[in-house]
Amino acid sequence: MVANETKSRWLSWGRRGTAGAAIPMALAFDGVTQRFGDVTALRDVSLSVEPGEIVALLGQSGCGKTTLLRLAAGVERPSAGRVLLEGRDVSSPDSFVEPERRGVGLVFQDYALFPHLTVLENVRFGLARGGEGGAADATARRAIARVGLADLADSYPHMLSGGEQQRVALARAVAPRPGVLLMDEPFSNLDRRLRDVVRDETAALLHETGATSIIVTHDPEDAMRIADRIVLMRAGAIVQIGTGEDLYRRPGSLFAARFFCDFTEVAGRVVRGAVDTPFGRFPARGLSEGSEAVACIRPQAVRIVPKGFCLPGRVVTRRFLGEVDHLLIAVDGFDRLLSVRASLAGAISEGDDVGLDIPTDEVLVFPAGDT
Ligand code: ATP
């Protein structure tokens, strides 16, 4: 689908600053549990999203992200707990607010455009029911122009590429100026190059509308690029909440750490407050003496220095990746290979002996089995 899209078109969204601003709403989940028969999709989840904040729900398939989004939209009712909009319970049986009355916009993973309606009619759909007539038309056209598709207003969804359909879905969601915007894996169907542009333009649009936004994704890069805060989920529960930098630099568990980086993991035992490994001793704060631990070495933290300095290693493979090289390095006493990303400008070849400088403060240490 994307192949049909011309470069100039996917690069040219509408003028920034022309999207209608929303009145952002506070959104909160209070002790939410959701069961589907024997499956507990969410267990006792509490989360507050500030007005205007952009939050990413990040996690592996099946961890409950979409279910949380559907509860916020009102297309699902919680088994226990409450969903609050502006502090008001909108999910309990005696105060339930229907999806169309919540002021919440939704972008589905498959975009869910009506195939028999044009782009303009799709975007106008949620507006026309408000009975605004000509004003609805103008609002829809403005939203379509903002996502750069004014010349496709009369096209049908099947005539559009995947990236264009995503933009129509986004235009449809923001046109009624929702106080809360919910997006389910909005970039997952896009190819990599297109994804970067769409992600950045979507972030600009979200900031412009000011809507409180929740974006579901399984891609940490999506989450870091677009969100003010990231909510990392696992098996129906929240594992950690923080900025992208918090989660990347200070993951609270081996599970969280692995989500953000392909570490080389090295097992060792804690001796006098540090874990002993073939790569050196790394501080193991809070871990008990004699316990088994895992040291996580970031590929980009390892510095290649001349042979004879620091720790000796031998380059087994070298892959040129453009701005950096990816190296796999053999180190005595380690039965696997150390993964290293470094910009070496071709100075290193396979078979070379090198020195490895591993800054201690770049190595994360967790209890073994803390997954
Ligand atoms: P994905 O990234 O694959 O969409 P997710 O993190 O969004 O995953 P959910 O779709 O929220 O996860 O699903 C969480 C769990 O609840 C899964 O085990 C799923 O199979 C189950 N589930 C979700 N909706 C239903 C349903 N309507 N009926 C039965 N089980 C469901």
Side-chain angles (χ1 to χ4, degrees), residues 1-14 16 146-149 151-152 161-167 190-202:
M1 277 192 293
V2 168
N4 296 334
E5 200 161 26
T6 64
K7 190 175 179 196
S8 61
R9 178 169 284 158
W10 58 257
L11 284 175
S12 61
W13 285 49
R16 290 192 178 182
R146 175 61 187 86
V147 296
L149 297 180
D151 56 337
L152 295 179
S161 72
E164 288 164 347
Q165 289 181 28
Q166 193 269 357
R167 285 149 74 178
L190 308 175
D191 85 7
R192 200 180 158 77
R193 282 179 316 141
L194 183 57
R195 201 176 167 112
D196 285 349
V197 177
V198 172
R199 195 161 43 189
D200 291 349
E201 289 293 345
T202 302

Side-chain angles (χ1 to χ4, degrees), residues 36 39 41 60-67 185:
F36 298 105
V39 177
Q60 286 157 352
S61 183
C63 71
K65 309 179 295 290
T66 299
T67 302
E185 298 274 7

Side-chain angles (χ1 to χ4, degrees), residues 18 20 120 123-124 127-128 132-146 175 177:
T18 55
L120 178 62
V123 176
R124 203 175 49 195
L127 297 163
E132 292 176 65
D137 215 84
T139 304
R141 284 189 187 280
R142 209 163 38 241
I144 294 166
R146 175 61 187 86
R177 302 188 184 190

Side-chain angles (χ1 to χ4, degrees), residues 34 36-37 39-42 59-68 70 76 109 184-185 216-218 233:
Q34 185 67 328
F36 298 105
V39 177
T40 302
L42 295 170
Q60 286 157 352
S61 183
C63 71
K65 309 179 295 290
T66 299
T67 302
L68 204 55
R70 289 170 62 80
E76 211 77 73
Q109 185 170 4
D184 195 357
E185 298 274 7
V216 161
T217 181
H218 59 267
M233 296 183 64

Side-chain angles (χ1 to χ4, degrees), residues 277-280 311-314 329-336 356:
T277 77
F279 298 90
L311 179 75
R314 174 165 294 174
I329 298 180
V331 171
D332 268 355
F334 187 54
D335 57 5
R336 284 172 291 126
L356 302 168

